[in-house]
Amino acid sequence: QKEVEQNSGPLSVPEGAIASLNCTYSDRVSQSFFWYRQYSGKSPELIMSIYSNGDKEDGRFTAQLNKASQYVSLLIRDSQPSDSATYLCARRAGANNLFFGTGTRLTVIP
Amino acid sequence: KAGVTQTPRYLIKTRGQQVTLSCSPISGHRSVSWYQQTPGQGLQFLFEYFSETQRNKGNFPGRFSGRQFSNSRSEMNVSTLELGDSALYLCASSLAEAGELFFGEGSRLTVL
């Protein structure tokens, strides 16, 4: 069983719609989770971090964490073509050691 | 503020050779982590250094090694290269132990 699992996609949504990206993890003691965005040919960049159960909002992005279900999600509201990228879910295993999922490729269609 | 700088950006080696990759973190960041990214395995943690000490190591063979200097710059070395070592090697720096990483553009290694 992989540490962090994501649907590889591709996920296509029309411009202006809500994109929903999901991630499950296997380690029940995990406390810290992250969403990174990676444009094609570029390096990952941090979008959101979440440490507590519930929702965390930052602009058009909302991260949701459910530790009982071992589930993390990222919602992107009012999706824009510039949001087209691969989204990586990660959990912290120790210090700055992160387990990454293989990513979900999102395409926003104008 | 300058970002994380990695050199070289691209390199081609043959099997059995060794390679050294360099990383300069963001000024003030003392933690440097290295990751390998391949299409099949995704991003995998190699090791992390903080104040010249290796704090964590991933599940890679001993051919993969690294070090950190007093100015926080880091190098990683891969000896006896294998075809499967072809990958994008990413360095990330961090201000604290929070997992909030700032990645460099990577060094793309091709092993022939």
Side-chain angles (χ1 to χ4, degrees):
Chain A
Q1 185 181 13
K2 291 185 178 179
E3 292 276 352
V4 177
E5 296 212 43
Q6 294 181 256
N7 185 330
S8 61
L11 173 66
S12 295
V13 300
E15 183 174 355
I18 295 176
S20 177
L21 305 161
N22 305 311
C23 171
T24 57
Y25 60 93
S26 58
D27 184 353
R28 287 190 170 274
V29 301
S30 294
Q31 297 293 320
S32 306
F33 300 88
F34 307 86
W35 283 99
Y36 283 79
R37 175 176 63 197
Q38 187 171 24
Y39 291 113
S40 181
K42 298 294 186 181
S43 57
E45 56 180 332
L46 179 67
I47 301 175
M48 302 261 310
S49 57
I50 185 165
Y51 308 107
S52 305
N53 273 329
D55 295 0
K56 178 181 178 183
E57 188 174 318
D58 184 0
R60 296 187 295 111
F61 298 95
T62 298
Q64 300 175 317
L65 174 59
N66 184 324
K67 292 186 179 181
S69 300
Q70 296 175 237
Y71 176 93
V72 187
S73 66
L74 179 70
L75 301 177
I76 306 174
R77 290 182 299 281
D78 188 24
S79 294
Q80 301 297 308
S82 59
D83 295 326
S84 297
T86 296
Y87 290 80
L88 300 163
C89 171
R91 74 161 186 89
R92 182 179 164 198
N96 290 311
N97 170 8
L98 301 184
F99 275 113
F100 283 87
T102 52
T104 298
R105 188 154 53 94
L106 171 68
T107 300
V108 180
I109 303 167
Chain B
K1 191 173 187 181
V4 177
T5 303
Q6 291 189 246
T7 57
R9 292 290 313 277
Y10 303 91
L11 63 167
I12 299 173
K13 295 285 187 179
T14 57
R15 280 181 297 175
Q17 288 187 310
Q18 73 165 11
V19 65
T20 299
L21 309 177
S22 179
C23 172
S24 293
I26 293 172
S27 178
H29 287 193
R30 294 166 65 189
S31 168
V32 174
S33 307
W34 289 89
Y35 288 80
Q36 181 196 65
Q37 187 171 34
T38 59
Q41 298 296 319
L43 267 166
Q44 293 185 284
F45 173 75
L46 281 157
F47 26 66
E48 187 224 0
Y49 288 88
F50 183 85
S51 294
E52 302 179 66
T53 300
Q54 187 182 89
R55 284 200 297 198
N56 290 286
K57 190 177 191 308
N59 188 26
F60 279 82
R63 301 185 296 106
F64 292 80
S65 63
R67 59 178 175 170
Q68 186 180 35
F69 302 96
S70 58
N71 61 357
S72 294
R73 191 177 70 84
S74 178
E75 289 181 348
M76 67 163 283
N77 183 276
V78 188
S79 62
T80 319
L81 284 166
E82 301 176 359
L83 296 179
D85 297 332
S86 295
L88 180 66
Y89 290 88
L90 290 161
C91 168
S93 75
S94 178
L95 188 59
E97 297 182 9
E100 297 180 358
L101 306 179
F102 294 86
F103 285 90
E105 291 299 315
S107 293
R108 183 165 297 279
L109 170 65
T110 301
V111 182
L112 302 176

